[in-house]
Amino acid sequence: MTVRRTSPSRGKNSPEVTGFYEPDTGSIQYVVSDPATKKAALIDVVMGFDHRSASTDTAPAQEVLDHVTAKGLKVEWILDTHPHADHLMASSWLKERLGAPNAIGTKVAEIAELWRGLYHTPDAFDVERDFDRLFADGDTFRIGELDVRVMLSPGHTLGSITYIVGADAAFVHDTFMQPDAGTSRADFPGGDAGILYDSLQRILDLPDETRLFIGHDYGTDERDQPEWEATVKEQRDHNTHIGGGVSRVGYVERRTARDKTLALPDRMLHVLQMNLRAGQAPAPEADGNSYLKIPLNRF
């Protein structure tokens, strides 16, 4: 069973947030709900994927659904922050079971165009077909009585978005990590360390007590238990990469040097082909099976 932890509502216009830590990829999945109406959204939910056998399973997403059922929540939105490179998204699987619309950022269309070239699949990835809503910077919607604002937060990818929910919660995906771990990498196609710095600063402009919920945690040498929540003030003051007023030049130098030491995620070339289809496999071929295409010597 995954590690699960709930951050309670602080009162009016404050959501309850339950995070589920998925240990295979270090990903955190979220259920964000309005206590007044019991309406909810699911954010960055994971499908299991074994890159060795190219097989999928539904266990992580099913655990999230079991929580929704146990709490008596009504899911209004299935949300992703970006096309993930390290886990398979559960967007389409959840939509089939819940009937709720799925959504992601509008610049995912540009990410899809980039990866059509890398995979040499010119007709692949119809994001307007596979996602019900493509959010632009500044778009708004509601979860129950909670207002949600979308903020473009590129750098890790060129189309990553943050969801700011109610008065005091923001889902900041692969921008910040926990203060003792720093920030996320920016070396994938379409990523940029300087642009990531600008996105981090924009998030730090939120009110000090805003709860920031991150996309991944891998622990540290001093901490082996997963964590995924910190306030804006805690990140601004203590983040090991950017806290205390690090300059843009200094950040870019450090982030770039760190990224040069990192290997590609072991699922990346597999799952991006599905995540750009909202987590669906490519259409079956004549034998009834779906196939993935892996580019050789491109990375």
Side-chain angles (χ1 to χ4, degrees), residues 104-125:
I104 201 165
T106 188
K107 285 185 173 289
V108 169
E110 297 177 35
I111 298 174
E113 183 61 30
L114 187 159
W115 282 92
R116 284 187 195 104
L118 290 168
Y119 286 123
H120 193 58
T121 53
D123 298 322
F125 313 139

Side-chain angles (χ1 to χ4, degrees), residues 50-118:
D50 184 341
H51 67 283
R52 294 172 292 269
S53 61
S55 58
T56 65
D57 72 82
T58 63
Q62 186 61 56
E63 187 171 351
V64 173
L65 285 189
D66 291 345
H67 171 81
V68 166
T69 300
K71 295 283 286 185
L73 301 175
K74 170 65 175 177
V75 175
E76 293 191 311
W77 289 96
I78 299 160
L79 306 173
D80 279 275
T81 54
H82 64 292
H84 312 277
D86 44 18
H87 73 252
L88 177 58
M89 67 168 64
S91 177
S92 289
W93 186 84
L94 291 168
K95 180 180 174 179
E96 289 176 2
R97 279 145 189 82
L98 297 171
N102 63 344
I104 201 165
T106 188
K107 285 185 173 289
V108 169
E110 297 177 35
I111 298 174
E113 183 61 30
L114 187 159
W115 282 92
R116 284 187 195 104
L118 290 168

Side-chain angles (χ1 to χ4, degrees), residues 31-49:
V31 177
V32 52
S33 60
D34 173 19
T37 64
K38 299 187 79 68
K39 302 293 179 62
L42 310 182
I43 301 178
D44 289 344
V45 178
V46 175
M47 289 277 278
F49 183 83

